[in-house]
Amino acid sequence: MMKLFNKLLLLTFTSLLAWSCMKEQDMAILNSGAIPQVTLSTNELVLNKESAQEEALAIAWQTDYGFSASSANTILIDKKGGDFTKAASVTTGAVQEKKFKTAELNSLLIGLGLAPNEAADVDIRIQSKLGTSTLLTSEVLGLKVTPYSVQLDLSSPWGIVGSAINDWGATPDAPLYKTDTPNELVAYVTFIDGEIKFRQDNDWTVNLGGKDGKLSDGGDNIVVKAGTYKVTFNAVALTYKIEKYAWGLVGSAANDWGATPDLPLSYDPTVDLWRAVVKLVDGELKFRQNNDWGVNYGGANGVLVDNGDNIVVTKGTYLVTANFKELKYTITPYIPWGIVGDATATGWGDQPDQKFSYDLSTETWHLNNVVLTDGAMKFRLNDDWGVNLGSTAETEPDPIAESGPLKSGGKNFAVTAGVWSFVLDVKDLDNPSYTAKKIK
């Protein structure tokens, strides 16, 4: 009996000890004032496009919880003085460090609306979440940073003027763009029968004309025939060249293998690519030059091959891009954003929405100089209410601001009559945003 009693006593003591240890662990107390302690690798930074893939900024932090714990961490970056409701956010999971490459950080800053090539102050803080209910937020740290423009700047002061292109200056001259060859500029233009000259700054003070590929100051007008051309110009060597030049899509998916003219691609100097938004049918296609089989490209997996295999596509509307220098291409579904509402010219879906165009250089959607009346509006995808974005406000209509976050299925925006321009950033559809500007 005594042996049994001793065993029961030992078992009870052991159970009490285990329970005591468990309770001590369960009742671990968070250190008073425990917040992430953050360090930045620098407090001032000028970003440079040439260093796009190099490390620009390292953020690290530690938190003394008072016990061993794992947290879910988020970096928030906002304009100086912001309340972080419109901040760019980067999640790092349990990792308490983040090293930003230049291109990654620049993209976040441009997304916040910072002006390229201008120094600005931003606020940075860390949020660490323990379990489901405890959120620890660091003090705000400041960073002075200068982002760079993500657009290529191939512009030059030179342009083409004439009866064949812009009625001798009735509209701005056709721009000539920089190339990889020093002093050599290029334009891709469509002429009517007429004459042209080259001039600087849309002004006659400096103008060049001539013949047979040679130029002189104030020289003769150059006669051209209607067509699509590549014009090469060198203001130092005083030479020019005008040659038939166009890129297009041909195939059973595009134009029944040339039964009609190829679907044209246009040059986009902001990304140095050829691009088009096209409607295709089930079938095959290739890229070719000048509506002729002399130069044609096919291929697979985004790689262009001279006289390569046909590219198989399915019916739909696509954004097609081609880089004939690096021999790469993309064919991606093109689903446009638009504005809808009684403030727009097309109403609440009675007609197709007024559409944005996609900017490849910034991966954002733009709608410029659209005329609106007093009323309400929203943003929606592909003329359909399945995906629509509105205000985050609780009541409507909410007066539209210069910029702000968007909410899926949110409230209507109120706008006043005038000419407006909008930019939509929906790269992260969970955190979409907009900018709006009333032109007049």
Side-chain angles (χ1 to χ4, degrees), residues 18 108 340 348 391:
L108 290 176
V340 62
W348 287 108
S391 167

Side-chain angles (χ1 to χ4, degrees), residues 266 299 370:
S266 59
V370 60

Side-chain angles (χ1 to χ4, degrees), residues 71-394:
S71 59
N73 297 281
T74 302
I75 301 170
L76 298 175
I77 304 176
D78 201 358
K79 293 180 180 178
K80 184 176 178 60
D83 60 5
F84 289 93
T85 58
K86 303 175 184 176
S89 63
V90 179
T91 58
T92 65
V95 178
Q96 299 186 66
E97 181 184 32
K98 170 65 178 177
K99 295 180 179 180
F100 287 94
K101 289 186 176 181
T102 298
E104 179 186 11
L105 182 60
N106 193 76
S107 178
L108 290 176
L109 298 172
I110 294 297
L112 284 175
L114 301 189
N117 306 315
E118 293 183 15
D121 292 304
V122 296
D123 290 337
I124 299 174
R125 73 182 187 188
I126 305 298
Q127 286 185 338
S128 295
K129 189 173 184 180
L130 288 172
T132 59
S133 59
T134 302
L135 185 65
L136 306 177
T137 303
S138 74
E139 299 289 347
V140 174
L141 278 74
L143 173 69
K144 183 179 288 293
V145 63
T146 305
Y148 59 82
S149 173
V150 292
Q151 292 189 343
L152 288 176
D153 184 9
L154 301 179
S155 61
S156 82
W158 288 94
I160 303 172
V161 64
S163 60
I165 188 72
N166 68 341
D167 194 20
W168 291 112
T171 58
D173 298 352
L176 286 147
Y177 298 108
K178 297 174 185 175
T179 68
D180 296 335
T181 303
N183 302 317
E184 185 175 279
L185 306 178
V186 67
Y188 303 98
V189 294
T190 299
F191 290 141
I192 60 174
D193 289 341
E195 299 176 323
I196 64 165
K197 296 191 79 173
F198 301 94
R199 66 175 184 172
Q200 198 171 43
D201 298 321
N202 285 271
D203 187 86
W204 287 107
T205 303
V206 179
N207 73 90
L208 301 173
K211 62 180 181 179
D212 300 328
K214 303 294 184 181
L215 295 168
S216 62
D217 186 23
D220 294 339
N221 298 343
I222 302 166
V223 178
V224 295
K225 296 290 185 181
T228 302
Y229 296 90
K230 175 182 179 181
V231 179
T232 306
F233 165 78
N234 190 316
V236 177
L238 293 179
T239 58
Y240 73 94
K241 184 178 182 181
I242 301 174
E243 54 188 322
K244 283 276 191 180
Y245 196 87
W247 285 102
L249 299 173
V250 63
S252 59
N255 64 343
D256 194 19
W257 293 112
T260 58
D262 296 353
L263 303 184
L265 302 175
S266 59
Y267 179 67
D268 186 341
T270 67
V271 285
D272 197 19
L273 297 174
W274 290 80
R275 58 171 290 177
V277 174
V278 294
K279 289 185 177 181
L280 303 174
V281 298
D282 291 340
E284 299 175 325
L285 60 79
K286 299 188 79 172
F287 297 84
R288 69 174 182 174
Q289 193 180 90
N290 298 335
N291 286 271
D292 186 85
W293 288 108
V295 178
N296 74 90
Y297 289 96
N301 302 318
V303 178
L304 291 172
V305 177
D306 185 19
N307 202 33
D309 293 338
N310 299 342
I311 301 167
V312 179
V313 296
T314 57
K315 182 179 180 180
T317 301
Y318 294 89
L319 171 64
V320 179
T321 71
N323 184 328
F324 296 108
K325 295 179 182 177
E326 299 180 5
L327 296 181
K328 297 179 180 179
Y329 74 91
T330 64
I331 301 176
T332 55
Y334 186 83
I335 306 175
W337 286 88
I339 56 171
V340 62
D342 56 23
T344 74
T346 56
W348 287 108
D350 304 323
Q351 303 176 52
D353 300 347
Q354 291 173 273
K355 299 296 193 301
F356 286 73
S357 60
Y358 186 64
D359 187 329
L360 281 167
S361 64
T362 59
E363 298 181 344
T364 53
W365 294 83
H366 295 247
L367 178 59
N368 295 321
N369 302 320
V370 60
V371 178
L372 300 178
T373 59
D374 291 336
M377 58 158 282
K378 296 185 79 173
F379 305 98
R380 69 174 184 172
L381 186 67
N382 205 31
D383 298 313
D384 188 272
W385 287 108
V387 180
N388 71 91
L389 302 175
S391 167
T392 58
E394 296 299 323

